[in-house]
Amino acid sequence: MIIFKSINRLNKEVNFKANIGFVPTMGALHKGHFSLIKSSKKKCKKTLVSIFVNPSQFNKKNDYKNYPRNLKRDIKILKILKVDYLLIPKINEIYKNKKTMKIKLNKKDKILCVKYRPGHFEGVLAIINQFLINIKAKFMFLGEKDYQQIHLLKKFIKSKFKTKIIPCKTVRLNNSLAYSSRNFLLSKNEIQKASFVSRSVHNFYLSIKKNFKNKNNINKIKKIIESKKIKIDYLELRNKENLSKNFNQNNFKIFIAYYINNIRLIDNF
Ligand code: PAF
């Protein structure tokens, strides 16, 4: 595995005419990331992983400061997974060009996490913009746990870049909780609490699949979750193609964002 500490160098040394798969990450790697890497290795000739905890996508300073980081462990894992290239860019290089780092979102997109984490997705789009200007990968692999991220990035990169997004299924623990780097910040008890949320939302999803009228139980489900002293930012049903509120029994998805202590988790079914 070749490790690059600069995008500039990576750009000079990697032949992007070859079929390259790109897996952008913020490190603290887990099974969700491993499955993205496996998909890339299957589909592409070479796989490039990036690790960069992007400050501009954190709307709270403490969240950025406390985000789990374990670079040594990550590098070991990536070597075992036989990743070809790893990019660990420096913050100065990324933020050198202020113009490409200023992205505005459409008013229409102010739903779910855009509404509850102001500035977050502007930061995500900006960093991916910065990456794709230089990294001419054929495919970019992203996990469906971050469903809204995929939705916004697809729209954003479509007219700008040739890179195609490949969404990959959410990977879950046996107790149904989705793998997330933020799980590293939870105690055993808190993991139990989070998996309770995940199971409740999944059961809610199954009940609506059985009988569409069950969608009206949404406030009951919210109350059950909140009774465990879990704060919910949103629990919403939306159309899985365009995220509008216009959905039916065959094309809906449930989205949730909630807090276990002060750790914010998201999921969807
Ligand atoms: O999903 C993530 O880990 C991040 O939002 C991403 C896509 C790596 C951008 O920083």
Side-chain angles (χ1 to χ4, degrees), residues 2-180:
I2 309 177
I3 301 179
F4 296 96
K5 299 247 166 97
S6 131
I7 304 191
N8 214 356
R9 229 196 87 214
L10 168 100
N11 206 4
K12 280 189 186 136
E13 293 187 24
V14 173
N15 173 16
F16 283 106
K17 289 212 173 80
N19 169 6
I20 294 205
F22 177 38
V23 183
T25 82
M26 299 207 295
L29 301 177
H30 51 71
K31 284 195 178 167
H33 296 117
F34 306 165
S35 101
L36 302 180
I37 291 167
K38 279 185 194 146
S39 302
S40 171
K41 285 185 69 81
K42 223 173 168 185
K43 201 170 170 72
C44 305
K45 204 160 170 212
K46 301 269 183 198
T47 290
L48 160 68
V49 174
S50 67
I51 296 181
F52 181 67
V53 185
N54 172 33
S56 73
Q57 71 184 76
F58 289 84
N59 56 328
K60 289 180 184 155
K61 264 198 184 143
N62 259 347
D63 193 23
Y64 172 64
K65 209 179 99 209
N66 297 330
Y67 195 81
R69 293 164 171 87
N70 201 338
L71 195 55
K72 266 195 188 153
R73 174 185 166 276
D74 289 348
I75 291 176
K76 247 193 213 161
I77 292 173
L78 294 176
K79 281 185 181 163
I80 292 170
L81 292 176
K82 295 200 163 54
V83 163
D84 302 281
Y85 310 115
L86 169 62
L87 170 67
I88 315 171
K90 295 262 183 310
I91 215 162
N92 298 348
E93 190 188 20
I94 295 284
Y95 284 91
K96 199 170 53 191
N97 190 344
K98 294 229 159 57
K99 253 197 212 151
T100 49
M101 290 302 284
K102 264 220 167 98
I103 306 281
K104 272 202 165 162
L105 280 173
N106 231 316
K107 263 205 177 131
K108 254 185 26 214
D109 290 323
K110 285 224 160 110
I111 55 165
L112 304 174
C113 284
V114 179
K115 189 166 152 198
Y116 286 89
R117 281 187 87 187
H120 165 64
F121 278 118
E122 284 86 345
V124 172
L125 297 192
I127 184 69
I128 295 296
N129 188 42
Q130 190 73 350
F131 278 149
L132 294 188
I133 286 172
N134 296 286
I135 298 171
K136 304 285 177 211
K138 198 161 179 188
F139 300 105
M140 178 163 71
F141 296 81
L142 295 168
E144 283 188 337
K145 181 176 74 69
D146 298 297
Y147 200 88
Q148 192 178 17
Q149 170 166 280
I150 293 182
H151 174 80
L152 293 172
L153 278 173
K154 265 190 179 166
K155 276 205 289 191
F156 176 68
I157 74 170
K158 200 167 76 184
S159 53
K160 274 191 96 168
F161 302 105
K162 287 198 176 122
T163 306
K164 189 171 177 260
I165 290 179
I166 308 290
C168 300
K169 290 257 165 300
T170 302
V171 184
R172 296 180 183 279
L173 288 120
N174 287 340
N175 61 17
S176 167
L177 180 63
Y179 276 94
S180 161

